[in-house]
């Protein structure tokens, strides 16, 4: 079977990811580009007698890059070996998208254009002469609706056709002046590199524009003074730099093509998006509406997820645990191995995984807001406010993503053009409360603040934001000095995403947490178990290696209200990954609880119990959603049988110290994966060490203040 390697490209917000998901489905593989942390999506599909290998490149408006994402796309298109370009175009913004198409044509590679969102263009009254577009450009143009999987089969057929027939797009007319320059440069290149078989028009323009980093990678270098002499005529006659002149020519071509193939209605009606934006982007109403939208999103997330957290907790830590212990005992497994399997692995990882519903729902709601187009508006609204803190609106999106995962926030910083803004945003990202901290909040809120869970949770999230922005002001004026770049972001039309697309994108985000909980947390749980049980089976947990280490560092946390060995050891264990804090506490406090007498196991009774409990919790979800506008609880009431760890917390903490502990978890260094990501993105281990030191100091100071204020109030 022949393999066709396809580079999938397009402007941001053209539905490229939705189209690649519609084509790839379960075959999508996600990794990272070599040397960087940008997500790399690939898929291989068998279709007829071919293997279609799709590479989904980061979105970009131009092949002249300003961000790392755009550089990856440019380098791949110029340096890598591929067969066909699949360009995904937003049909409702055809003229702007054709500017990018013009640049792709200059690569002189077989190309297929996916005219995506074709249904939306029809609703606007647009008429696209597809046949004329194909005749002008000598490319295959296929109308698609990615979210409905329309046009997918036609795209596959077109890719095979242009590959087999080697159909290269037509050469566009650039005018006499540019044509003469092109001939001159081609002659000079041939003189320097006579062995080169073919040089694309795109490479010629890169030589004229002077993109030295790309030219070095291509191994094509001409004397820059010679190039400047060649360009002297353009600069003299048109009084602009060559790059600006070329931009005007390309836009002229894109505008001309759009006028020939696109008909718009004579009387333009106000779109639904424009009507909604009059309210959503209103200077007075915009920010209050944004806060309301975010509050409602969290309400729905918690009200749906909380009952299922209880269900998973019961299933994992009660029912399944009993069967695992019984199964291991029945085959003669030694006590120490049972302890490792149950206490070290199952209870630890199982406790973390029981919080999948809440993490998944928060990611689902954020994905929904992104897909509808509202997140771009949120960034626009916040731009004015963010500039007071030395940042711009795009940084707000990076910080907002931190509520899902701090690591993905670091990835999102790559859209910021200014280096000082990128580094400043990376520095304050740890104060955004990521999903890994939620299990800690859930545990302590259930123990101390069950009747005021909404207020406590809102306080935690707002405190993180306040600390982040306050530190941003200080760092911007002292360490990361510079002028914020202009805020340029497309506001896509409002769309109602399909549940299938939301599910796919949410799973891709949630999978990171699941893999992390199943691997990283597993490894650290085993280490924690060893530290808690060595020397073997100490009389008291505090006599173990972990206990002695906890005692050693406990004085640091005593002024914060929780200076006992167990809480100190849990914070130490949470340094590599916050999920480990809850599982460590489960192991420490679980060891203090006397074993229950052996019960007779009944699969039928346990299954019946779980089914009834699931039905009860599902009913609770419905009650939550139709209840008054408040989050019912962060976790539902804990049954008498499941109060072990909660009762231990209530014995060891006060409400004030519990709040202080949650604040410290919120503010100190998030995890080692974040550290590794920042190390790669910033290119400095020293920068990572600075973040670790500053976050610890800030966490200690703020927790100290919160604890002593809380003692006066609670």
């Amino acid at each position: 079977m022949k393999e066709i390697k396809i580079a999938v490209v397009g402007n941001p917000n053209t539905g490229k990811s939705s189209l690649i998901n519609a084509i790839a489905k379960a075959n999508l593989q996600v990794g990272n580009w070599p040397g960087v942390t940008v997500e790399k999506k690939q898929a291989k599909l068998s279709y007829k007698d071919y293997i279609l290998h799709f590479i989904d490149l980061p979105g970009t408006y131009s092949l002249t890059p300003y961000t790392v994402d755009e550089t990856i796309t440019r380098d791949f298109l110029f340096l890598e070996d591929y067969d066909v370009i699949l360009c995904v175009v937003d049909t409702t913004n055809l003229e702007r998208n054709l500017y990018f198409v013009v640049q792709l044509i200059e690569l002189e590679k077989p190309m297929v254009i996916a005219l995506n969102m074709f249904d939306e263009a029809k609703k606007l009254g647009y008429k696209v002469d597809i046949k004329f577009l194909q005749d002008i450009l000598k490319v295959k143009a296929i109308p698609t609706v990615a979210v409905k999987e329309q046009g997918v089969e036609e795209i596959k057929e077109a890719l095979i056709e242009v590959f087999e027939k080697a159909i290269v797009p037509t050469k566009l007319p650039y005018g006499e002046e540019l044509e003469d320059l092109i001939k001159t440069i081609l002659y000079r290149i041939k003189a320097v590199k006579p062995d080169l078989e073919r040089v694309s028009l795109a490479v010629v323009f890169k030589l004229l524009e002077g993109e030295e980093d790309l030219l070095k990678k291509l191994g094509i270098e001409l004397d820059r003074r010679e190039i400047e002499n060649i360009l002297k005529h353009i600069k003299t006659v048109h009084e602009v730099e060559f790059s600006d002149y070329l931009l005007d020519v390309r836009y002229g071509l894109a505008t001309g093509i759009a006028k020939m193939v696109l008909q718009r209605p004579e009387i333009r009606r106000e779109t639904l998006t424009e009507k909604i934006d009059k309210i959503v982007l209103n200077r007075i109403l915009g920010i209050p509406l944004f806060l309301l939208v975010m509050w409602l999103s969290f309400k729905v997330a918690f009200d749906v997820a909380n009952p299922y957290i209880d269900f998973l907790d019961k299933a994992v830590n009660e029912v399944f645990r009993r069967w695992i212990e019984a199964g291991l005992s029945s085959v003669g497994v030694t006590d120490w191995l049972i302890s490792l399997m149950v206490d070290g692995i199952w209870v630890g990882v199982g406790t973390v995984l029981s919080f999948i519903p809440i993490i998944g729902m928060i990611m689902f709601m954020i994905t929904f807001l992104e897909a509808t187009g509202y997140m771009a508006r949120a960034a626009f609204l916040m731009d004015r406010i963010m500039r007071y803190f030395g940042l711009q609106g795009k940084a707000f999106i990076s910080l907002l993503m931190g509520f899902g995962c701090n690591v993905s926030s670091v990835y999102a910083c790559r859209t910021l053009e200014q280096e000082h803004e990128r580094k400043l945003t990376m520095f304050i990202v740890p104060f955004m409360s990521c999903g890994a901290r939620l299990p800690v909040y859930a545990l302590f809120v259930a123990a101390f603040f069950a009747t005021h869970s909404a207020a406590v949770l809102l306080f935690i999230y707002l405190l993180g934001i306040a600390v982040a922005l306050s530190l941003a002001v200080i760092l911007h004026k002292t360490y990361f000095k510079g002028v914020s770049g202009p805020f340029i972001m497309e506001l896509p039309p409002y769309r109602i995403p399909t549940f299938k697309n939301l599910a796919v994108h949410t799973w891709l985000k949630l999978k990171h947490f699941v893999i992390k909980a199943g691997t990283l947390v597993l490894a650290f749980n085993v280490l924690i178990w060893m530290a808690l049980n060595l020397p073997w089976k100490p009389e008291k947990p505090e006599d173990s290696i972990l206990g002695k280490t906890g005692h050693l560092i406990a004085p640091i946390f005593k002024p914060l209200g929780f200076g006992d060995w167990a809480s100190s050891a849990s914070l130490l264990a949470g340094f590599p990954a916050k999920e480990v804090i809850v599982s460590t506490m489960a192991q420490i406090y679980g060891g203090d609880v006397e074993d229950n007498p052996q019960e007779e196991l009944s699969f039928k009774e346990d299954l019946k119990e779980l089914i009834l409990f699931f039905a009860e919790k599902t009913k609770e979800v419905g009650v939550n959603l139709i209840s008054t506008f408040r989050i019912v609880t962060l976790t539902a009431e804990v049954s008498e049988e499941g109060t072990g760890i909660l009762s231990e917390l209530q014995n060891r903490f006060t409400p004030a110290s519990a709040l202080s502990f949650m604040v410290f978890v919120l503010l100190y260094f998030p995890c080692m994966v974040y550290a590794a990501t920042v190390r790669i993105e910033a290119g400095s281990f020293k920068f990572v060490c600075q973040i670790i030191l500053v976050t610890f100091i800030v966490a200690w100071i703020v927790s100290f203040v919160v604890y002593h204020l809380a003692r006066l109030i609670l």
Side-chain angles (χ1 to χ4, degrees):
M1 296 176 77
K2 292 182 181 178
E3 181 174 317
I4 306 175
K5 198 171 184 181
I6 303 147
V8 186
V9 296
N11 289 177
N13 299 310
T14 58
K16 182 170 62 69
S17 295
S18 296
L19 184 61
I20 198 76
N21 282 330
I23 295 171
K25 295 180 179 162
N27 296 292
L28 191 67
Q29 299 293 323
V30 180
N32 288 89
W33 292 97
V36 291
T37 53
V38 179
E39 202 170 66
K40 181 181 186 180
K41 296 178 183 175
Q42 297 188 81
K44 284 189 179 182
L45 309 172
S46 294
Y47 184 75
K48 295 187 176 179
D49 296 326
Y50 299 88
I51 294 174
L52 303 181
H53 181 188
F54 294 91
I55 300 100
D56 186 11
L57 297 168
T60 178
Y61 291 106
S62 169
L63 292 182
T64 301
Y66 294 96
T67 65
V68 182
D69 278 13
E70 292 174 343
T71 302
I72 286 170
T73 298
R74 182 205 65 181
D75 285 356
F76 185 92
L77 292 173
F78 276 90
L79 303 172
E80 299 296 329
D81 182 31
Y82 57 95
D83 302 303
V84 182
I85 296 171
L86 173 58
C87 179
V88 184
V89 164
D90 177 0
T91 314
T92 64
N93 286 302
L94 190 60
E95 184 176 324
R96 176 177 54 72
N97 281 253
L98 282 172
Y99 171 74
F100 186 50
V101 170
V102 167
Q103 293 180 76
L104 294 174
I105 288 172
E106 294 163 5
L107 290 164
E108 299 175 16
K109 285 274 193 178
M111 182 162 66
V112 173
I113 296 175
L115 295 168
N116 201 26
M117 305 175 196
F118 205 76
D119 56 338
E120 292 182 16
K122 279 185 176 180
K123 287 177 184 176
L124 293 170
Y126 293 178
K127 293 181 181 178
V128 182
D129 191 334
I130 297 175
K131 186 177 184 307
F132 194 23
L133 178 64
Q134 292 182 135
D135 291 341
I136 293 171
L137 301 180
K138 293 292 186 293
V139 299
K140 297 290 291 184
I142 310 296
T144 62
V145 183
V147 293
K148 298 177 182 176
E149 299 187 7
Q150 294 177 8
V152 170
E153 293 301 312
E154 291 83 350
I155 287 286
K156 294 176 186 176
E157 293 287 348
L159 290 167
I160 292 171
E161 182 181 345
V162 299
F163 170 75
E164 286 294 351
K165 296 180 180 179
I167 302 172
V168 177
T170 189
K171 186 176 181 297
L172 297 172
Y174 285 87
E176 187 176 342
E177 285 180 307
L178 264 182
E179 296 292 349
D180 289 342
L181 283 176
I182 292 165
K183 289 177 184 175
T184 303
I185 291 295
L186 284 172
Y187 176 79
R188 298 292 172 87
I189 292 173
K190 198 66 179 174
V192 176
K193 294 274 187 180
D195 55 328
L196 280 178
E197 294 182 8
R198 185 179 65 85
V199 178
S200 69
L201 183 59
V203 173
V204 171
F205 285 148
K206 290 302 178 188
L207 273 163
L208 291 169
E209 289 178 291
E211 287 196 24
E212 301 296 337
D213 61 325
L214 176 64
L215 296 172
K216 286 179 182 177
K217 294 173 185 176
L218 287 166
I220 300 174
E221 295 182 67
L222 295 180
D223 190 333
R224 193 63 209 164
R225 287 172 297 180
E226 190 178 353
I227 298 290
E228 291 297 330
N229 286 332
I230 295 171
L231 296 175
K232 192 178 291 183
H233 173 72
I234 295 289
K235 292 181 180 180
T236 303
V237 174
H238 298 279
E239 297 181 340
V240 293
E241 292 296 321
F242 176 75
S243 57
D244 296 326
Y245 174 69
L246 182 59
L247 184 146
D248 288 339
V249 172
R250 284 169 171 161
Y251 264 118
L253 289 168
T255 303
I257 296 166
K259 285 181 178 177
M260 287 189 283
V261 302
L262 178 65
Q263 286 184 11
R264 294 185 177 92
E266 291 183 11
I267 300 174
R268 186 182 178 279
R269 293 176 297 176
E270 189 177 39
T271 65
L272 179 62
T273 291
E274 290 169 333
K275 291 176 182 176
I276 295 173
D277 278 346
K278 283 183 178 179
I279 301 170
V280 170
L281 299 180
N282 184 279
R283 290 178 65 88
I284 298 172
L285 297 176
I287 291 178
L289 279 173
F290 165 70
L291 294 174
L292 178 62
V293 166
M294 295 308 298
W295 185 85
L296 284 173
S297 299
F298 280 109
K299 170 184 164 49
V300 172
F302 284 112
D303 285 357
V304 170
N306 288 336
Y308 293 122
I309 291 176
D310 291 341
F311 169 76
L312 282 175
D313 183 56
K314 184 179 183 66
V316 170
N317 292 327
E318 291 183 33
V319 178
F320 294 162
R321 174 177 178 158
R322 285 201 305 266
W323 280 90
I324 291 170
E325 285 182 326
L328 292 172
S329 297
S330 66
V331 295
V333 176
T334 58
D335 289 345
W336 73 267
L337 189 54
I338 292 177
S339 177
L340 171 62
M341 297 292 289
V342 176
D343 299 321
I345 298 175
W346 181 256
V347 172
V349 177
T351 300
V352 174
L353 293 180
S354 67
F355 290 94
I356 282 178
I358 188 63
I359 295 166
M361 277 303 301
I362 287 178
M363 291 179 177
F364 181 86
M365 295 308 299
I366 291 175
T367 302
F368 174 77
L369 293 175
E370 288 173 346
T372 58
Y374 184 73
M375 276 304 192
R377 270 84 184 171
F380 176 79
L381 283 168
M382 296 301 294
D383 181 62
R384 187 159 42 97
I385 296 173
M386 296 296 285
R387 288 187 183 275
Y388 288 115
F389 303 100
L391 298 165
Q392 57 151 287
K394 285 183 185 177
F396 175 73
I397 290 183
S398 299
L399 296 176
L400 200 61
M401 288 179 70
F403 292 132
C405 176
N406 289 170
V407 176
S408 60
S409 280
V410 177
Y411 297 159
C413 293
R414 312 161 113 285
T415 61
L416 300 168
E417 291 84 4
Q418 306 288 334
E419 184 181 0
H420 75 274
E421 285 184 332
R422 273 200 303 273
K423 286 190 172 181
L424 176 55
T425 307
M426 285 181 208
F427 208 107
I428 63 174
V429 156
F431 303 122
M432 299 297 104
S433 185
C434 67
R437 294 160 166 125
L438 274 171
V440 182
Y441 306 154
L443 190 64
F444 277 83
V445 166
F448 296 96
F449 310 104
T451 56
H452 300 92
S453 57
V456 171
L457 186 73
L458 187 61
F459 168 75
I460 291 292
Y461 275 82
L462 292 179
L463 179 65
I465 295 169
V467 170
L469 295 180
S470 300
L471 187 63
V473 172
I474 297 169
L475 292 174
H476 175 61
K477 291 182 177 179
T478 57
Y479 196 57
F480 299 108
K481 294 181 180 180
V483 179
S484 294
F487 177 65
I488 302 171
M489 174 173 278
E490 179 187 1
L491 297 181
Y494 290 103
R495 302 185 179 96
I496 299 176
T498 64
F499 180 79
K500 181 180 179 181
N501 269 329
L502 288 175
V504 169
H505 287 288
T506 301
W507 167 242
L508 288 174
K509 295 173 182 176
L510 183 60
K511 187 167 68 170
H512 170 78
F513 172 79
V514 174
I515 292 171
K516 188 177 169 186
T519 53
L520 185 65
V521 177
L522 171 63
F524 281 107
N525 272 354
V526 172
L527 291 176
I528 295 299
W529 178 87
M530 292 172 64
L532 195 58
N533 286 276
L534 294 176
W536 179 242
K537 284 296 180 184
E539 289 185 17
K540 297 179 181 178
E542 57 195 280
D543 295 331
S544 64
I545 294 173
L546 183 64
K548 290 176 180 177
T549 306
H551 276 296
L552 185 66
I553 63 173
I556 298 172
F557 303 106
K558 200 142 189 89
L560 311 184
F562 50 86
D564 68 321
W565 76 270
S567 57
S568 303
S570 298
L571 288 175
L572 181 65
F575 189 84
K578 291 293 167 286
E579 299 93 332
V580 182
I581 292 175
V582 172
S583 58
T584 302
M585 287 186 161
Q587 288 191 54
I588 292 173
Y589 298 143
D592 291 345
V593 181
E594 291 183 8
D595 293 334
N596 292 321
Q598 190 68 39
E599 300 175 12
E600 187 176 339
L601 296 176
S602 170
F603 177 77
K604 183 179 178 180
E605 287 300 317
D606 283 344
L607 182 61
K608 179 182 176 182
E609 182 184 7
L610 285 178
I611 291 173
L612 290 174
F613 194 61
F614 182 81
E616 178 189 334
K617 291 301 171 183
T618 302
K619 180 182 176 182
E620 192 177 314
V621 170
V623 172
N624 288 354
L625 289 175
I626 61 174
S627 65
T628 54
F629 274 29
R630 72 182 181 89
I631 300 173
V632 178
T633 54
L634 186 60
T635 57
E637 282 188 28
V638 181
S639 62
E640 287 295 321
E641 295 81 12
T643 57
I645 187 171
L646 297 189
S647 62
E648 283 293 321
L649 289 176
Q650 289 162 352
N651 291 333
R652 295 167 183 263
F653 287 81
T654 64
S657 63
L659 190 61
S660 174
F661 187 86
M662 286 192 288
V663 169
F664 195 89
V665 170
L666 163 74
L667 299 176
Y668 89 110
F669 189 74
C671 67
M672 295 307 294
V673 179
Y674 163 83
T677 306
V678 172
R679 166 66 181 84
I680 294 170
E681 292 293 303
S684 170
F685 180 71
K686 179 184 175 183
F687 186 64
V688 176
C689 293
Q690 289 170 340
I691 294 174
I692 293 173
L693 180 62
V694 170
T695 55
F696 185 87
I697 293 171
V698 169
W700 196 96
I701 293 171
V702 177
S703 295
F704 178 85
V705 173
V706 167
Y707 173 62
H708 288 281
L709 287 176
R711 289 178 67 190
L712 301 175
I713 300 169
L714 299 176

